[in-house]
Amino acid sequence: DTGSAAAIPVNPNYDIAYVTPVSIGTPPQTLHLDFDTGSSDLWVFSSHLPASQIRGQTIYVPANSSTAKLLADHTWSITYGDGSASRGNVYVDNFTVGGLTVENQAVQCALQVSTSFTRESNIDGLVGLGFSTLNTVVPKSQLTFFDNAKPHMDEPVFTADLKWKSEGTYDFGFIDEKKYTGKITYVPVNTSPGYWTFTSSGYAVGSGNFSATSIVGIADTGTSLVYLPPSILTAYYRQVEGATSSRTYGGYVFPCNSKLPSFTFGIGEARITIPSSYISYAPVTAGSSTCFGGLQSSSSLGINIWGDVALKAAFVVFHGGNPPTIGWAKK
Ligand SMILES: Cc1cc(CN)n(C)n1
């Protein structure tokens, strides 16, 4: 089996997140979910939520699905790196992404979501594509869509082709040679943390020399920006006129009309370059002439994160073999 589905920016102006249409249940209920390689819970806005916590999202109504079954006495609760959170109960139902169906997929129904989820009206929930060891369902943890689908897939892979301010694709079960140029460089993945954790071979700022240094980090489609060690941030933003680390805005900001260098990171001998346009991320508030950087410090996170700002500069293969690996190609 294979599947292919769109990755649609939730906001036309800034790539805050991407959502993908999925079908749940019988008859199919279509929701738009944030595919997140940085977590492993599949949860949705549901009919169990109080109306006060719903602001335009599409909800999943298990009572309207003839194939939905309550997973009795199971609950879940998750908090993300940005402080957002949700919790609820669990059903199993048919779950289809781009023509690829998993029967009896655990669909975690929200009974409560935090305000940042309520405020994001274009996200109806998340599909965790991290390792199933991170799933929060108790007493029995559940498998991700990818783990459930893998045995039926032509190849045990999914790929991310995210795009800057436009619609990209998630493919499941195959690698589309048309979506990248040159070769795919695969590097090992450490599955112990439960994320797609790999080691980058170094970085360069603009046209500067490449600094060979191991950067352990995660490939996280659910995080908007790139978070790296402070020393790399200093090296980058020293090249940006008027850049400063702002306590007010919680990170590096600069005048929106400043000239920004590109940022290159290493994958083995290969190099992926993030264009400067991706790094001028967004005005700090609507209409401001001060912009927030797409590269920020990981010092408060304890982990380096290659979020969408980096991922959309590449074609990325999440290979779920034994052992799993991650592949990067230019496009
Ligand atoms: C909702 C959500 C997902 C992620 C990345 N895993 N973050 C930081 N927030």
Side-chain angles (χ1 to χ4, degrees):
D1 295 3
T2 64
S4 185
I8 306 157
V10 294
N11 180 303
N13 303 314
Y14 320 111
D15 294 336
I16 297 163
Y18 299 83
V19 286
T20 296
V22 306
S23 295
I24 313 176
T26 313
Q29 299 178 37
T30 299
L31 276 70
H32 286 77
L33 306 182
D34 180 355
F35 282 30
D36 177 18
T37 57
S39 67
S40 305
D41 282 39
L42 192 169
W43 72 264
V44 292
F45 274 67
S46 81
S47 46
H48 297 303
L49 273 171
S52 62
Q53 295 184 21
I54 302 170
R55 191 176 302 166
Q57 291 85 357
T58 301
I59 62 170
Y60 167 59
V61 185
N64 292 349
S65 171
S66 60
T67 42
K69 289 167 282 201
L70 175 71
L71 196 57
D73 306 320
H74 280 69
T75 59
W76 58 280
S77 175
I78 192 164
T79 301
Y80 297 95
D82 58 4
S84 58
S86 52
R87 64 177 177 78
N89 59 16
V90 187
Y91 288 76
V92 293
D93 206 343
N94 298 344
F95 190 85
T96 299
V97 178
L100 175 55
T101 296
V102 166
E103 295 180 347
N104 295 317
Q105 171 65 47
V107 179
Q108 299 167 218
C109 290
L111 272 77
Q112 204 270 335
V113 299
S114 63
T115 51
S116 58
F117 282 118
T118 298
R119 279 199 295 269
E120 184 45 77
S121 55
N122 295 320
I123 295 180
D124 303 330
L126 267 72
V127 175
L129 294 171
F131 294 91
S132 293
T133 46
L134 288 181
N135 181 263
T136 73
V137 174
V138 291
K140 290 198 188 75
S141 89
Q142 302 298 302
L143 295 179
T144 64
F145 166 73
F146 182 47
D147 274 351
N148 282 324
K150 229 188 281 185
H152 310 282
M153 283 178 163
D154 294 13
E155 294 175 68
V157 301
F158 66 91
T159 67
D161 179 19
L162 300 180
K163 295 188 179 197
W164 181 62
K165 302 191 182 182
S166 52
E167 187 174 308
T169 336
Y170 285 111
D171 292 335
F172 290 87
F174 72 104
I175 293 175
D176 184 346
E177 315 287 327
K178 296 186 299 301
K179 291 199 167 94
Y180 66 91
T181 60
K183 63 186 284 293
I184 301 171
T185 300
Y186 289 90
V187 292
V189 164
N190 172 10
T191 59
S192 308
Y195 305 109
W196 290 88
T197 307
F198 70 98
T199 301
S200 164
S201 51
Y203 71 97
V205 175
S207 54
N209 290 339
F210 183 81
S211 176
T213 173
S214 291
I215 308 165
V216 176
I218 70 170
D220 186 354
T221 55
T223 288
S224 316
L225 309 182
V226 169
Y227 296 87
L228 292 171
S231 56
I232 298 180
L233 275 294
T234 313
Y236 180 83
Y237 285 110
R238 71 195 323 175
Q239 306 285 340
V240 179
E241 187 91 27
T244 174
S245 179
S246 157
R247 215 167 313 197
T248 311
Y249 297 113
Y252 279 92
V253 300
F254 44 81
C256 294
N257 58 11
S258 289
K259 182 148 181 43
L260 291 177
S262 61
F263 183 82
T264 296
F265 58 101
I267 302 289
E269 294 301 300
R271 302 287 179 258
I272 301 290
T273 295
I274 304 173
S276 55
S277 53
Y278 297 11
I279 302 171
S280 179
Y281 180 66
V284 290
T285 50
S288 168
S289 65
T290 301
C291 278
F292 198 73
L295 303 181
Q296 294 296 340
S297 174
S298 61
S299 51
S300 65
L301 304 177
I303 187 171
N304 297 311
I305 302 176
W306 302 96
D308 298 334
V309 161
L311 298 170
K312 64 184 133 172
F315 176 78
V316 188
V317 181
F318 296 84
H319 184 266
N322 280 321
T325 60
I326 187 167
W328 296 75
K330 294 173 183 293
K331 61 188 182 191

